[in-house]
Amino acid sequence: MLKNLVLIALVIVVSACGSKKSAVATSKESKSIRLGKNEVLTYESLGNGVASIAIRFYENNTFKFNFKSIPQPGTDNKTIKISEKGTYTADGNWRILEFKKPKFSLAAIFDPQFASASDYQVIDAERVKINASKNTLPIWGVVCEKQ
């Protein structure tokens, strides 16, 4: 998991070089997406000492993904913040999330080492398929519960 944290931090640092903007990783394309008014599904992390994670799905087939790491005591790790919006399509119980040029690695966050293929599958650098019939999803090794 430390390897993944370092990978995410590296992606954020590299993408932020030369920029004085917010420390939250958000793509320009993500900012242009208008979220719906009503949430239809939410997965949110339970209390833990690793990260705060939430995926909120809206009625207009948009979603918002929020991630905030919790640096471990005794380390020099910085807090990593990711806030991305995107669109999704439904395929039975599955939701295919499409991130618009994310500033982080989907494979690092949706790590198959912490889940089974029946939980989610990373399709490519911008898309991940999530099984919305699950009551919990282990995202980045953190249990996220359906609300």
Side-chain angles (χ1 to χ4, degrees):
M1 187 159 75
L2 182 59
K3 176 180 79 171
N4 290 337
L5 181 60
V6 171
L7 177 63
I8 293 168
L10 181 61
V11 168
I12 291 172
V13 168
V14 168
S15 67
C17 284
S19 174
K20 300 277 185 196
K21 295 185 179 177
S22 170
V24 177
T26 304
S27 68
K28 281 191 253 182
E29 290 79 3
S30 174
K31 290 179 183 176
S32 68
I33 294 173
R34 292 185 162 255
L35 297 174
K37 294 185 189 264
N38 300 313
E39 287 182 29
V40 294
L41 175 64
T42 299
Y43 282 95
E44 199 164 352
S45 59
L46 303 173
N48 67 81
V50 178
S52 174
I53 302 171
I55 305 175
R56 301 182 191 293
F57 295 84
Y58 296 89
E59 86 283 350
N60 66 339
N61 286 16
T62 59
F63 71 89
K64 184 164 186 182
F65 174 76
N66 287 311
F67 175 96
K68 181 180 177 183
S69 69
I70 300 169
Q72 298 304 300
T75 68
D76 292 337
N77 295 338
K78 303 275 190 234
T79 299
I80 298 167
K81 295 179 183 177
I82 299 170
S83 182
E84 290 280 340
K85 294 183 278 186
T87 58
Y88 71 90
T89 54
D91 182 11
N93 289 331
W94 293 84
R95 301 296 175 267
I96 301 169
L97 285 63
E98 186 167 345
F99 291 81
K100 310 295 182 189
K101 297 184 181 177
K103 299 227 178 225
F104 64 97
S105 167
L106 290 178
I109 297 291
F110 296 94
D111 190 337
Q113 158 183 323
F114 299 113
S116 71
S118 68
D119 293 324
Y120 54 74
Q121 300 164 1
V122 175
I123 298 169
D124 56 34
E126 295 186 345
R127 295 180 300 154
V128 64
K129 187 175 178 178
I130 291 178
N131 188 343
S133 70
K134 297 283 189 165
N135 289 325
T136 61
L137 292 174
I139 301 172
W140 204 57
V142 174
V143 175
C144 296
E145 189 173 74
K146 188 186 274 188
Q147 303 296 305

